[in-house]
Amino acid sequence: MRLLMAGSPGSGKGTHSRRLSDCLGIPHISTGDLLREQVSLGTELGLNAKTFMDRGDYVPDDVMVNMIKGRLSEPDAEKGFIIDGFPRTVTQADALDKMLADLGQSIDAVIVLDVPVEEMVRRLSGRRTCPTCQRSYHMDDEPPADDERCNDDGTPLERRSDDEPETVRHRLKVYADRTAGVIEHYDTDSVVKRINGEATIDEVHRRIDEALGMA
Ligand code: AP5
Ligand code: MG
């Protein structure tokens, strides 16, 4: 299965992509996670990207398109994937169409998580992330078993540098201005599955399974 996971910052893309990846045995490809990995490695790409990410702005399209192109050419992506956070602009969507056409592939579903703005702000203000595996927790809704450490690898959890309230508000605005319209790019293909994402994580997961015909 080839899926795109879309939705505003804090809508639950990472949380649900991770669960689907475990269920379906296909890789979770998050452009945000790939960028943060470059930042932590201190590469030139990472250092350049960080200036955009810390402001809550988008990293330039050519960087993102090359990143996804490289990742989709890895062997584990041949049998399917869940792309989380790409495409975010019409230029990226056009580039993905071309990449998939060249590979003889197509997207099976675009999952769009709809969550009210106040709820996304609440979720991001309580989020903690594992810098090793990038798993997200929420200190009220989905706390780690051991206080402030990742359940999977024991790494101390951190607050993402772009989760400061002012940056969150800017990220939400950038999404509304630049990405909300990208969904229309896929509307004509009837692959868009809009999911009401305002419910418990288990319930949203069930809704996604149902929309994909997996329930
Ligand atoms: P990215 O890392 O993708 O950030 P984002 O899109 O802003 O989304 P988030 O990761 O913040 O939220 P999420 O939807 O994954 O929510 P999560 O599951 O964690 O991108 C970061 C930056 O990289 C961008 O700002 C940009 O600079 C750059 N970038 C990335 N891709 C790019 C691209 N294609 N083009 C250009 N630039 C790009 O959940 C959030 C919290 O809520 C967690 O605490 C979770 O536990 C909790 N939660 C989740 N679901 C529920 C629920 N149902 N009920 C209660 N709590 C829940
Ligand atoms: Mg995420």
Side-chain angles (χ1 to χ4, degrees), residues 128-173:
R128 296 292 180 278
T129 306
C130 173
T132 303
C133 71
Q134 302 289 333
R135 179 170 167 180
S136 282
Y137 295 84
H138 190 280
M139 297 318 280
D140 300 320
D141 301 343
E142 210 202 8
D146 169 15
D147 201 15
E148 294 250 340
R149 286 178 183 274
C150 178
N151 291 351
D152 295 336
D153 51 46
T155 309
L157 302 179
E158 292 178 352
R159 183 167 186 163
R160 259 172 54 177
S161 57
D162 58 352
D163 277 350
E164 295 304 323
E166 226 170 87
T167 318
V168 165
R169 275 191 289 277
H170 184 65
R171 283 161 61 202
L172 290 167
K173 184 175 181 320

Side-chain angles (χ1 to χ4, degrees), residues 89-206:
T89 64
V90 173
T91 303
Q92 292 179 17
D94 289 340
L96 182 62
D97 284 350
K98 183 168 183 325
M99 262 179 249
L100 293 176
D102 288 347
L103 292 167
Q105 299 175 353
S106 58
I107 294 298
D108 295 300
V110 180
I111 300 164
V112 185
L113 298 172
D114 284 324
V115 178
V117 168
E118 324 80 70
E119 171 63 6
M120 291 186 288
V121 172
R122 187 193 72 79
R123 287 182 188 179
L124 292 180
S125 65
R127 173 166 66 180
R128 296 292 180 278
T129 306
C130 173
T132 303
C133 71
Q134 302 289 333
R135 179 170 167 180
S136 282
Y137 295 84
H138 190 280
M139 297 318 280
D140 300 320
D141 301 343
E142 210 202 8
D146 169 15
D147 201 15
E148 294 250 340
R149 286 178 183 274
C150 178
N151 291 351
D152 295 336
D153 51 46
T155 309
L157 302 179
E158 292 178 352
R159 183 167 186 163
R160 259 172 54 177
S161 57
D162 58 352
D163 277 350
E164 295 304 323
E166 226 170 87
T167 318
V168 165
R169 275 191 289 277
H170 184 65
R171 283 161 61 202
L172 290 167
K173 184 175 181 320
V174 171
Y175 179 88
D177 290 348
R178 300 194 59 191
T179 304
V182 173
I183 308 305
E184 287 164 25
H185 183 90
Y186 297 96
D187 263 347
T188 48
D189 299 338
S190 325
V191 291
V192 176
K193 314 280 181 202
R194 284 198 172 270
I195 308 287
N196 177 352
E198 194 184 20
T200 62
I201 293 173
D202 285 344
E203 172 57 17
V204 176
H205 185 67
R206 194 197 62 73

Side-chain angles (χ1 to χ4, degrees), residues 3-14:
L3 305 173
L4 302 183
M5 185 68 75
S8 260
S11 57
K13 299 184 296 298

Side-chain angles (χ1 to χ4, degrees), residues 13-14 30 33 36 84 127 160:
K13 299 184 296 298
S30 155
D33 289 352
R36 281 184 288 278
D84 156 6
R127 173 166 66 180
R160 259 172 54 177

